[in-house]
Amino acid sequence: MHIKTALAASVAALSYVTIAHANPQAEVLHWWTSGSEAKSVAVLQQEFAEKGGTWTDMPVAGGGGDAAMTALRARVLSGNAPTAVQLKGPAIQEWYAEGVLADISAVAEAQGWAKVLPESIANHMKCDGTWCAAPVNVHRVDWIWANKVLLDQHSIAMPNTWEEFNAAADKLKAAGVTPLAHGGQSWQDATVFETVVLGIGGPDFFRKALVDLDKDALTSDTMVKVFDQMRKMRGYVDANFSGRDWNLATAMVMNGEAAFQIMGDWAKGEFLAAGKTPGTDFLCGSTPGDGYLYNVDSFAMFKVDGQDKIDGQNLLAELIVGPNFQKVFNMNKGSIPARTDVALNDFDDCAKLSAADMGTTSDAGSLLPSYAHGMALRGAQAGAITDVVTAHFNSDMSSADAVKMRAEGVANSM
Ligand code: GAL
């Protein structure tokens, strides 16, 4: 190369590097709008700002993220994707197949993600061998939360079987206490449903029915029993459950208006944000049965123009998997770190239980992806299942009819 040209090129590269890190930008689409969720995501905003980043917040309210995903589709279709999006499970690979995701492998490799993330989590973050998402945490879905004072008052222990759960709920109901705090939104119905599938059918059945969509499992007598239990659950919720947000259901347990809630450990984030202590004010236990349903939150970066935005994406990816963020965020959020090298000493007992159970279920082959939280199936398939769960919960449909209707719905979604 001619000396002058080489000089010009290196000056350009130099100024490019300086400009490149001058003002990282990120517009971040997420659905973390409850008190504890907002507190958690603020940790990322703060770290991003401390590194010179400018964060444009795009929160889309609605637990479980259905509304956020609708907003995302609209933005991508109009050719104006947000820089970073809360996205998880197979939806990451679905968006990748559309050709709209950015490759963050350079950050992942520089930061050694492969060494600090369990393989099961890392696999969800990869698209054709490249890194296309950054994991935030591991939420466990199959939890039951309880108001300790109410249980003590009524001499009720945390249930270990669904029979024990029903007996406790019947006793509470007879005493005029709402047994189950629930919000009638389809993703919450699906959350309860999948814990019942796991508990009544067991881990292998769960995998066949809700991961492999095995027709025999979906139409089995076990599935009829699952819907029978869902019908019982319907009798344990209060009259105003319809449409209620999940965090308001958590507040009912907190305030002694209801005894139990079945919900992922983002519910614990709400208890902790309200200054409540596990073991004293509230109790946590896995829902009856073996296994562990995981839900890994992550962020994917969308292809955008402009070096400031690309710098913002790289900086975000680096911070998200960084050890400090993984600790502080997850202590607020109720989840546990995705990284395996973050000490849990400062975490609460429910988080420690989650980590221990994740290890044992991983060894036993019963660590399973949550279908209700988009970890197991493509959106259309999960939707076909949830439609029937919700229709059954909100009508007097028989269990046999629900099973039949669902088998048809799933076949059409394939
Ligand atoms: C889940 C998500 C959690 C929590 C919850 C309620 O799908 O993974 O992080 O936000 O929805 O909004």
Side-chain angles (χ1 to χ4, degrees):
M1 196 190 285
H2 189 277
I3 285 209
K4 219 168 136 195
T5 323
L7 200 67
S10 61
V11 168
L14 205 69
S15 53
Y16 163 82
V17 169
T18 329
I19 293 165
H21 294 282
N23 189 15
Q25 305 273 331
E27 186 194 10
V28 186
L29 192 163
H30 62 88
W31 63 89
W32 286 331
T33 56
S34 81
S36 63
E37 289 174 330
K39 189 174 164 189
S40 306
V41 75
V43 176
L44 189 57
Q45 295 179 1
Q46 196 190 328
E47 286 196 3
F48 193 66
E50 278 164 11
K51 299 272 180 193
T54 307
W55 174 295
T56 305
D57 206 29
M58 191 186 170
V60 181
D66 294 338
M69 292 301 102
T70 306
L72 172 64
R73 267 187 293 279
R75 286 287 302 267
V76 177
L77 280 177
S78 69
N80 177 27
T83 38
V85 177
Q86 186 186 352
L87 197 66
K88 55 187 174 164
I92 299 170
Q93 285 75 26
E94 285 186 75
W95 279 111
Y96 174 81
E98 299 294 322
V100 289
L101 292 195
D103 184 351
I104 52 171
S105 301
V107 177
E109 275 150 29
Q111 301 294 316
W113 289 4
K115 285 193 253 69
V116 293
L117 297 176
E119 207 183 335
S120 53
I121 295 183
N123 287 341
H124 282 292
M125 308 298 140
K126 293 203 180 148
C127 298
D128 279 345
T130 65
W131 292 87
C132 50
V136 173
N137 62 3
V138 181
H139 269 305
R140 184 180 196 170
V141 178
D142 52 318
W143 282 113
I144 183 158
W145 309 95
N147 180 301
K148 183 168 185 318
V149 175
L150 270 182
L151 293 205
D152 289 350
Q153 262 171 15
H154 296 275
S155 310
I156 290 171
M158 283 294 265
N160 290 314
T161 63
W162 287 103
E163 289 73 29
E164 283 178 17
F165 176 83
N166 293 341
D170 288 335
K171 191 173 178 184
L172 289 159
K173 199 172 165 180
V177 177
T178 299
L180 187 64
H182 182 64
Q185 297 174 346
S186 56
W187 71 273
Q188 295 188 58
D189 302 337
T191 300
V192 173
F193 173 78
E194 72 173 346
T195 70
V196 176
V197 172
L198 180 67
I200 290 184
D204 288 342
F205 178 80
F206 183 99
R207 191 187 302 280
K208 279 196 196 115
L210 297 182
V211 181
D212 301 339
L213 296 181
D214 175 86
K215 192 160 177 277
D216 292 343
L218 285 171
T219 53
S220 62
D221 291 346
T222 305
M223 200 49 94
V224 174
K225 289 197 191 108
V226 168
F227 278 105
D228 289 347
Q229 177 63 27
M230 288 304 286
R231 179 61 66 233
K232 276 190 163 295
M233 307 294 255
R234 177 67 176 80
Y236 297 145
V237 306
D238 69 324
N240 299 323
F241 78 102
S242 198
R244 176 186 289 135
D245 287 333
W246 66 272
N247 51 320
L248 300 181
T250 308
M252 288 172 69
V253 176
M254 236 185 268
N255 302 334
E257 289 162 47
F260 296 114
Q261 183 184 21
I262 293 174
M263 186 49 66
D265 39 23
W266 45 93
K268 188 186 64 187
E270 293 292 299
F271 283 105
L272 298 179
K276 308 283 181 193
T277 310
T280 312
D281 304 310
F282 70 97
L283 301 174
C284 63
S286 55
T287 49
D290 297 333
Y292 183 117
L293 301 181
Y294 69 84
N295 169 24
V296 176
D297 283 310
S298 45
F299 280 87
M301 310 302 160
F302 278 66
K303 280 184 185 158
V304 286
D305 292 328
Q307 194 59 40
D308 283 351
K309 290 182 181 170
I310 294 167
D311 288 347
Q313 293 179 323
N314 291 338
L315 177 56
L316 265 187
E318 184 181 329
L319 293 174
I320 284 170
V321 186
N324 183 61
F325 171 73
Q326 293 255 326
K327 179 178 174 186
V328 182
F329 172 91
N330 285 304
M331 284 179 65
N332 290 328
K333 187 71 168 66
S335 34
I336 55 174
R339 285 178 80 106
T340 50
D341 62 346
V342 176
L344 295 182
N345 308 16
D346 295 337
F347 282 69
D348 62 83
D349 289 346
C350 308
K352 287 175 185 151
L353 177 65
S354 177
D357 285 355
M358 189 176 162
T360 48
T361 55
S362 174
D363 294 344
S366 54
L367 176 65
L368 294 157
S370 159
Y371 117 82
H373 292 276
M375 297 302 300
L377 301 171
R378 285 192 286 111
Q381 298 170 327
I385 294 178
T386 303
D387 284 351
V388 180
V389 171
T390 291
H392 171 268
F393 201 73
N394 290 292
S395 70
D396 58 4
M397 187 188 291
S398 73
S399 301
D401 282 349
V403 164
K404 190 162 163 275
M405 188 173 156
R406 220 213 358 229
E408 287 161 10
V410 169
N412 292 336
S413 75
M414 301 293 261

